Amino acid sequence: MHDIIDTFAHDSWVLPYLKRYKGLLLLVIFLGFMTFFCGSALMFTSGYLISRAAQRPENILLIYVPIVLTRAFGIGRPAFRYAQRLTSHNWVLRIVSDFRKKLYLAVEKTAVTIRQERQTGDILAVLADDIEHIENLYLRTIFPVIIGWLLYIVVTVAIGGFNWAFGLLMFLLFGMITIVIPLISVAVNGARVYKTREIQHDFYVGLTDSVLGLADWVIAGRQKDLVANQDQPIEAQVRLRRQDHHFTWWRDFTTQMFVGIITIVMLVFADVEFGGSDKLVNWIAAFTLAIFPTIDAFQGIAQGFTEWPSHQASIRRVNDFDHNEKTASAVPQVEVVPNDFTALNINDVTFQYENGKAPAVSHLNLQIKKGEKLAILGPSGAGKSTLLKLLLGDLTATDGQILVNDIDVAALQTHRAELFGVLDQQPYLFNSTVMNNVRLGNLAATDEQVIAAVEAVGLGELVAGLPDGYQTAMSEGGNRFSGGERQRFALARILLQDAPIIILDEPTVSLDPITEAAILATIFKLFKDKTIIWVTHHLMGVKYVDQVRFIENGQFEMVGSPAELYQTEPRFKKLLDLDRGLTTE
Ligand code: ADP
Ligand code: MG
């Protein structure tokens, strides 16, 4: 109980909604109650009717009332059930839609902070799983438990009206099913359900991480380990599920045992109460049969209780999301005309991730002037991506400054798209037409400008050959196009965007050497007047740049033009020769 209060103490995801749609909630509970009430009443009147009919009444009119009632309850039960389903789902869908919006706003407001503090998989887990759990919290826990308990009270009070002692006995017997077994369930099985959920959650996080870093696993030759890693949690889950099934079986068996006991007790009671008289004897069947439908309602309680711990974990997690929310740093934004871009300065920049041991980059200094081309090389984990995120303002330097024309990048975030064109490893193509996808670079571009950009990146012929030309739909992710073609589409976008600084984060990492060489040639031809900062992991195309910087352990190591480094750094010479040999440039 303390646990439950604790969970809801700072809750802003469940309770407010219970309040907001109060009327609908009451309707759901009323309809649910009526469904079971009609079920019981149907059995009650049928029991009476069958029993009375067996006495061969002289006139059909003597059993006319129970006949009508049987019909009424018979129709009433499915009708109420249907209405209850409709209203409860309506209720849940309303909430879920509010929910998604709330979650979106929470994520959007703190997109930068989240990227720093959370793994992508974490958010995926919330989106995919927690919302569904809170849906189920209502549909499978809250509604059934309230309806079940309501019925429990009404039934025992009704029986108590006949005979208070027997009412008390029934109160205790039903209590086994409605209270004791659910409590045991949650104590025994709750932990298991919770554990299953935790494994599932870790699995999402781990899997996302692995997928995002897929290339690294392949490069390390550890594909087998990757697959084995994914199997492990699945096996653990299967084990837990099996125990869960076992427990559920025993729980249902015990419940049925009590149902048997209750039925017999009811039969005995009804016999003692009504057995003596020819007139009253028919009530025996009525009372006894009426028990069965209530059991359905009571069984939902135990199920709902068992699922509580896993729902609880979700409630905690979404609330956690809220409370960790930091308001985005309110750096006042400035006006700039990006065409006036003159230089980008990195002044003694250090950045440490909150959960990182050592700084990811430390004391970096660099100046890039308008039109200069820089290549940044370094092994995986050296800090290349971190540096690019700092440049773009996605991360804020722990120490030092990054200045565009003497203005801190943090103050330029509203003009980001006018300053930076970014091409990364996997540009995203949306489920829309070719025209719309390319126009994303600059929504004000005319059709002619879009076509010119597509032709400039060398895709004119390809698009002309598509079934609907520029109106052809790119399926989501752009599956119909090769990796090189997707990069070219992304280049067309950046071309339209016409920003002075182009950031390339290993844009050719997933391409074959021939496509890679062609794409690099296109990039450096198209953007020959722009400033380019290019992160790469090998030396193909390095001849295009003015300056090369090696980064290792978050620090710049070798610096110079390709020609200088070729002369002075044997390591560079060796790498370049190796690369040439490999690719016969
Ligand atoms: P690169 O792009 O050169 O492969 P990164 O900039 O991605 O390297 O990473 C630099 C270092 O920072 C690595 O040690 C990496 O583990 C760490 N790092 C990267 N992202 C995060 C993060 N979100 N949280 C904590 N540490 C991180
Ligand atoms: Mg990287």
Side-chain angles (χ1 to χ4, degrees), residues 323-396:
H323 298 301
N324 279 357
E325 199 174 285
K326 289 183 191 158
T327 37
S329 58
V331 177
Q333 300 292 303
V334 295
E335 294 294 326
V336 283
V337 186
N339 285 338
D340 288 352
F341 168 71
T342 53
L344 180 81
N345 278 293
I346 299 178
N347 292 341
D348 206 30
V349 163
T350 298
F351 179 82
Q352 170 141 19
Y353 287 100
E354 236 164 64
N355 48 355
K357 283 175 275 323
V361 300
S362 57
H363 303 288
L364 293 184
N365 282 291
L366 175 68
Q367 182 179 58
I368 308 161
K369 295 219 179 68
K370 183 176 174 162
E372 277 184 349
K373 320 260 180 299
L374 166 72
I376 297 174
L377 277 124
S380 182
K384 305 183 297 290
S385 298
T386 307
L387 175 59
L388 293 188
K389 284 181 191 156
L390 286 163
L391 284 180
L392 290 167
D394 281 342
L395 299 178
T396 309

Side-chain angles (χ1 to χ4, degrees), residues 428-440 466 469-478 480-481 489 493:
Y428 198 80
L429 299 178
F430 292 90
N431 191 5
S432 182
T433 60
V434 171
M435 187 65 90
N436 286 341
N437 260 293
V438 175
R439 208 197 307 268
L440 277 181
L466 292 173
Y470 282 88
Q471 297 309 316
T472 310
M474 291 178 148
S475 57
E476 201 164 302
R480 69 187 297 164
F481 301 105
F489 278 117
R493 264 183 207 161

Side-chain angles (χ1 to χ4, degrees), residues 17 21 90-104 131 135:
Y17 293 100
Y21 300 114
N90 175 16
W91 195 78
V92 164
L93 289 178
R94 269 187 208 209
I95 283 175
V96 167
S97 101
D98 285 356
F99 234 73
R100 290 199 196 281
K101 188 167 154 208
K102 187 168 148 97
L103 191 63
Y104 170 77
I131 289 201
E135 248 177 271

